[in-house]
Amino acid sequence: MRGAAALLLLLVVVERGWAHVALTFPPARKYDLDFLDNSRTKGPCGMPKGSIRTTLLSGKPFNVTWHLAYPHRGGFRLQVLDSLLRPVLDLTPVTAKSEFVSIDATAQSYSVQIPSDFECSDCTIRLLREAKEWSNSYRFWSCADVDIKTKRTYKEDCNGHGPHLLSKCRCNRLYYGPRCQYRDECVDHIDCGDGGRCVDIQATSAPRKQCYCELGWYGPACTKRSPVKTNKIDLTSHSFQQLSEGLKLYWRMIPEDQEIEVVLVNNGTSYVGLGWRPRNLTPSCKNFPKLEDPPGTMQSTFNTESIPNVPIPKVEPEPASEPEPKSEPEPEPKSEPEPKSEPEPNSEPEPKSEPEPEPKSEPEPASEPEPEPEPKSEPEPEPEPKSEPDAEPKSEPEPKSEPEP
């Protein structure tokens, strides 16, 4: 939401919320969500392969670019995965000290050059982004499907957005870049219809030029009429909620149109977003839906790489449930040596909200003294961490599977 003081009216509108990272070139898989991570989504990409594919020329330098909405602590890493989703080539330097490039937390591009003799069909370029303020093992990821060809087989297509003439891409209107890989919303005001203006916001990622609609218009190129003709709205019939200092929420039902009218009043200079869910849903609804790669890919094999899943870091109120597991070993002196491994509950905020009302979480420690004499055998059944979470630090991601049964 733009402006020092802004008012926003939503009529059952679903806006795309920018959060973290998503590749812009090569373009990310559909859907190019930028909050895919190893906490809520399945590796190696969090999104299965799709129909979007880019052809790249080996031996020729090009910029890999991505959208970044928040500069988390840490660096980034670029890799090429083969058709079985296994890492086969690092595009960023890997040293003994770090596998990530941390020269600039706000970086949104990196120049790479694939070896001239490297060919790869049905491959993937993957971007990994750290978020060390949450966990040293936390990763955001975004993947783009590519074919990498040598000069012998490569043919420039300008991404289908213009002809290739005299060794150069001649981009169609709205497109730009060496390969016409980026698109603006507008070039001048005529692209925004009668109800909008083209503004160069000098963004660091596409689109750089965007249509800003006048009151009464909205949508791509400001071509859709809106019932809102003024920012002076009568809010006397709306319900009200103070979300935070300077942020107010008003809403009312419109039965005849089967709509919910939502008004956000914000005193700020940036953007605000709104989301909601039914009250009867548990915190498990935070879990991202499981998306699988097409049959035949070796996704399960790839997931054994050293990028462990970690719990969702945004479950801040739930550490209140941590005293429960800490109190469990107190009445059981035999389990007292295990509290050393109980830092896990601190890193497992999400699953605790589920076991909290359920007594099932308490019997588990009671059953742990039995397998205590066999600690060496516990690391082997890693696929079954539900029964022995305290002894296996690597099983941190698995509590997410508890809500499913």
Side-chain angles (χ1 to χ4, degrees):
M1 186 173 294
R2 307 174 176 92
L7 179 147
L8 172 65
L9 175 66
L10 305 175
L11 294 176
V12 191
V13 175
V14 178
E15 289 290 341
R16 180 177 180 179
W18 294 113
H20 308 288
V21 293
L23 284 167
T24 54
F25 185 79
R29 295 175 176 177
K30 184 179 180 180
Y31 297 93
D32 58 341
L33 305 174
D34 61 0
F35 52 81
L36 304 177
D37 57 29
N38 63 342
S39 172
R40 293 164 291 191
T41 63
K42 190 175 182 180
C45 295
M47 189 66 63
K49 290 186 177 183
S51 58
I52 302 174
R53 187 175 301 279
T54 305
T55 303
L56 301 174
L57 174 61
S58 59
K60 183 178 180 179
F62 68 95
N63 280 336
V64 176
T65 58
W66 58 90
H67 167 83
L68 174 72
Y70 187 84
H72 289 285
R73 288 177 53 195
F76 62 88
R77 183 181 184 182
L78 292 167
Q79 299 172 303
V80 175
L81 314 182
D82 65 10
S83 59
L84 299 181
L85 302 176
R86 301 170 302 189
V88 292
L89 180 66
D90 279 301
L91 299 178
T92 48
V94 175
T95 66
K97 293 183 178 180
S98 177
E99 298 177 340
F100 292 82
V101 177
S102 304
I103 54 176
D104 182 4
T106 64
Q108 297 182 72
S109 67
Y110 191 80
S111 179
V112 303
Q113 182 172 353
I114 299 172
S116 57
D117 59 347
F118 186 90
E119 276 189 291
C120 191
S121 178
D122 190 25
C123 291
T124 300
I125 287 184
R126 182 173 74 156
L127 167 67
L128 292 172
R129 184 64 170 82
E130 293 181 299
K132 286 187 173 181
E133 68 270 34
W134 290 344
S135 167
N136 286 334
S137 60
Y138 201 101
R139 303 284 186 273
F140 287 99
W141 42 36
S142 179
C143 289
D145 296 322
V146 299
D147 290 322
I148 302 173
K149 299 183 178 181
T150 61
K151 289 183 178 180
R152 182 175 55 85
T153 57
Y154 178 81
K155 182 178 180 181
E156 181 60 72
D157 61 359
C158 302
N159 290 284
H161 301 144
H164 187 249
L165 301 173
L166 300 176
S167 302
K168 185 178 181 180
C169 286
R170 311 293 174 173
C171 302
N172 298 335
R173 186 177 180 83
L174 301 183
Y175 291 92
Y176 66 97
R179 299 190 59 198
C180 306
Q181 67 267 47
Y182 305 115
R183 184 183 185 276
D184 278 332
E185 291 184 2
C186 57
V187 175
D188 48 42
H189 300 319
I190 194 174
D191 297 315
C192 301
D194 297 331
R197 295 181 64 82
C198 184
V199 178
D200 185 351
I201 63 173
Q202 299 181 358
T204 54
S205 62
R208 301 172 304 180
K209 295 183 178 181
Q210 301 179 12
C211 288
Y212 277 63
C213 306
E214 298 175 358
L215 280 171
W217 299 89
Y218 75 103
C222 304
T223 55
K224 296 183 178 181
R225 289 189 175 275
S226 168
V228 181
K229 308 298 181 183
T230 175
N231 58 6
K232 296 180 180 180
I233 302 176
D234 184 6
L235 300 174
T236 55
S237 62
H238 290 63
S239 300
F240 168 76
Q241 179 72 41
Q242 184 83 35
L243 299 180
S244 63
E245 184 178 357
L247 182 59
K248 301 177 181 179
L249 173 68
Y250 299 85
W251 74 93
R252 70 183 178 97
M253 305 300 296
I254 309 178
E256 59 272 21
D257 296 327
Q258 295 185 340
E259 292 181 342
I260 304 175
E261 181 178 275
V262 180
V263 180
L264 278 175
V265 180
N266 178 48
N267 182 18
T269 58
S270 184
Y271 293 79
V272 294
L274 177 67
W276 60 84
R277 69 184 183 195
R279 289 184 177 180
N280 60 347
L281 289 183
T282 65
S284 64
C285 99
K286 298 174 185 175
N287 296 335
F288 198 80
K290 289 188 175 180
L291 300 172
E292 302 291 342
D293 277 285
T297 57
M298 298 293 290
Q299 186 178 24
S300 59
T301 301
F302 181 89
N303 285 338
T304 60
E305 69 167 345
S306 58
I307 302 181
N309 286 3
V310 293
I312 300 175
K314 293 186 178 180
V315 194
E316 298 175 354
E318 310 211 281
S321 62
E322 292 175 4
E324 292 187 10
K326 291 180 180 178
S327 62
E328 290 173 3
E330 293 178 2
E332 299 179 14
K334 294 181 179 180
S335 61
E336 287 180 1
E338 293 186 357
K340 295 180 180 179
S341 61
E342 286 188 1
E344 289 180 5
N346 295 334
S347 61
E348 293 180 359
E350 167 129 334
K352 285 189 174 64
S353 62
E354 301 279 333
E356 190 173 332
E358 299 177 7
K360 296 180 181 179
S361 61
E362 297 181 3
E364 292 178 4
S367 62
E368 288 175 5
E370 297 178 7
E372 275 181 351
E374 299 178 3
K376 297 182 180 179
S377 61
E378 290 177 4
E380 296 178 4
E382 287 183 4
E384 299 178 6
K386 296 180 181 178
S387 61
E388 297 173 272
D390 291 334
E392 297 182 2
K394 294 184 180 178
S395 63
E396 292 180 12
E398 301 301 335
K400 291 194 300 181
S401 61
E402 294 176 4
E404 295 176 7

